[in-house]
Amino acid sequence: MSFSIGKVVKFNIFGASHDICVGGSLEGLPAGTKIDFEKIKSNLERRRPSLKGETKRVEKDDFLFVSGLEDGHTTEAPFTFAIKNEDIKPEDYEEISNIFRPGHADYSKYVKYNGNAFKTGGGIFSGRMTAPIVVAGTVVRDILLKMGITLESNTIFGESGTGAKIKVSVHGVKAGVGEPFFDSFESEIAHAMFSIPAVKGVNFGEIENLYNKKIEDIYEEYEIKDGEPKLKHNYWGGVDGGITNGEEIYFYILLKPIQTHDFSIQTVDKEYNEVKTKFEGRHDKNISKRVQVVLESMTAIVLYDLIRRGSK
């Protein structure tokens, strides 16, 4: 099992959806980094449900710093934190604990862990596990901001009951970030993004629109702007050969529709009997708005690790 990502700046997560807490740890942060508690609260608020069609589980997201913090600044120890789980209702799952929910990890984790995985909620596969990503990502984003790097995201499509398409953009990254071959910028970002529940696609640049075009219609050209080579179009999202080229970095994330709704569907139980049931409980019907800050945060964590790798 792997609950960590990164090589120089390592991010670890722990906990589960119905544990007493979820949390994380960042190794490799510079000692003396100032922690902006208000920004952490603000970004956790962005992740919190607030719109129609989003889950009715609303956590206060009270967080506790366990180690690596003194007088509001990081120390030499790993920066470790926990976020309380208080709005827990495992009883919502009692009636369906013997049933596999299609579109969730119920069956796959049942097989992998010989029936010994969490029986209520998604456990470690829950969207609740994205809360630590936001805390860690907020800390890292402040470091990147001091380097002149900013991140943003926009929902291209996302309606209740559907999936979503979200664009993530990064500005201010210099050319040369990324490690060939298997640690390319794109492969590291994709690895991290596919760890986020509901993510089913990562497209850098305009490949989704241009893969079937003739080369003469989408040919890239360099020109000199402000004394540096710049692309005229930046069709491929700011990355060439797996290494950043100094242009705006952008990619699109595709999210699958959340399948748990309040109508009857066919599934099977743990005795492999076919059954029809409704899946009650507090579930999102759409996560496009809530997930934006998660995508930005995960991007920041991976980007900072890659920058630090290249500066060794």
Side-chain angles (χ1 to χ4, degrees):
M1 293 186 289
S2 176
F3 292 93
S4 65
I5 193 170
K7 294 187 177 180
V8 176
V9 179
K10 298 179 181 180
F11 173 54
N12 309 276
I13 60 171
F14 59 83
S17 59
H18 288 163
D19 271 350
I20 61 171
C21 69
V22 293
S25 178
L26 276 168
E27 300 177 48
L29 291 182
T33 299
K34 181 176 173 55
I35 303 301
D36 191 326
F37 304 103
E38 292 306 313
K39 278 188 181 178
I40 293 174
K41 291 179 182 178
S42 176
N43 279 336
L44 284 171
E45 181 66 30
R46 288 180 61 195
R47 183 195 164 278
R48 193 172 294 121
S50 60
L51 302 176
K52 183 179 180 181
E54 296 177 338
T55 179
K56 293 180 181 179
R57 177 180 178 178
V58 182
E59 295 283 358
K60 291 186 292 184
D61 287 334
D62 291 333
F63 49 85
L64 169 70
F65 294 105
V66 179
S67 73
L69 188 69
E70 187 175 68
D71 297 328
H73 294 75
T74 59
T75 68
E76 73 278 13
F79 175 72
T80 305
F81 57 89
I83 309 169
K84 293 181 182 178
N85 288 335
E86 296 179 299
D87 189 15
I88 300 173
K89 291 185 178 180
E91 63 271 15
D92 285 352
Y93 298 87
E94 288 178 359
E95 291 186 9
I96 61 170
S97 62
N98 195 48
I99 297 173
F100 301 127
R101 296 170 298 168
H104 292 259
D106 296 353
Y107 174 66
S108 54
K109 72 180 183 181
Y110 179 80
V111 174
K112 181 172 179 62
Y113 300 111
N114 299 313
N116 295 310
F118 282 100
K119 294 178 175 60
T120 61
I124 62 171
F125 302 95
S126 169
R128 180 64 180 154
M129 303 305 297
T130 62
I133 295 173
V134 173
V135 174
T138 302
V139 173
V140 172
R141 287 178 74 168
D142 267 356
I143 298 174
L144 293 175
L145 187 59
K146 292 181 175 66
M147 302 167 65
I149 297 171
T150 59
L151 302 94
E152 62 182 356
S153 63
N154 296 284
T155 296
I156 307 301
F157 175 83
E159 299 177 359
S160 184
T162 72
K165 180 179 181 180
I166 297 172
K167 181 180 181 180
V168 180
S169 304
V170 188
H171 306 269
V173 178
K174 296 180 180 179
V177 177
E179 302 296 319
F181 189 86
F182 295 113
D183 291 345
S184 72
F185 190 92
E186 291 150 314
S187 62
E188 292 288 273
I189 288 288
H191 173 199
M193 292 299 134
F194 280 120
S195 301
I196 298 171
V199 171
K200 286 296 181 181
V202 182
N203 289 334
F204 269 80
E206 299 303 326
I207 187 65
E208 185 180 10
N209 302 317
L210 302 181
Y211 74 92
N212 58 351
K213 301 294 183 182
K214 294 181 178 179
I215 187 62
E216 54 264 34
D217 295 328
I218 56 170
Y219 201 77
E220 277 282 18
E221 294 180 302
Y222 274 110
E223 58 187 1
I224 297 297
K225 287 184 180 179
D226 300 323
E228 294 184 350
K230 293 291 181 181
L231 293 170
K232 285 188 176 181
H233 305 291
N234 191 24
Y235 286 135
W236 314 123
V239 184
D240 289 316
I243 300 172
T244 60
N245 57 24
E247 304 285 348
E248 173 196 357
I249 299 166
Y250 67 97
F251 51 90
Y252 297 93
I253 301 296
L254 303 179
L255 304 176
K256 69 177 182 179
I258 307 301
Q259 188 159 340
T260 306
H261 285 264
D262 53 0
F263 47 78
S264 181
I265 61 172
Q266 179 174 304
T267 184
V268 299
D269 61 24
K270 292 177 181 178
E271 286 73 44
Y272 292 7
N273 301 305
E274 292 183 354
V275 295
K276 275 198 170 185
T277 188
K278 289 184 180 180
F279 294 102
E280 306 292 344
R282 301 173 297 170
H283 305 284
D284 287 291
K285 291 182 173 63
N286 182 268
I287 60 171
S288 59
K289 192 68 175 177
R290 296 179 62 203
V291 80
Q292 286 184 208
V293 68
V294 178
L295 300 176
E296 295 164 11
S297 298
M298 184 63 92
T299 301
I301 293 167
V302 174
L303 171 59
Y304 185 48
D305 178 52
L306 284 170
I307 290 173
R308 290 284 300 278
R309 287 192 227 175
S311 63
K312 289 175 63 179

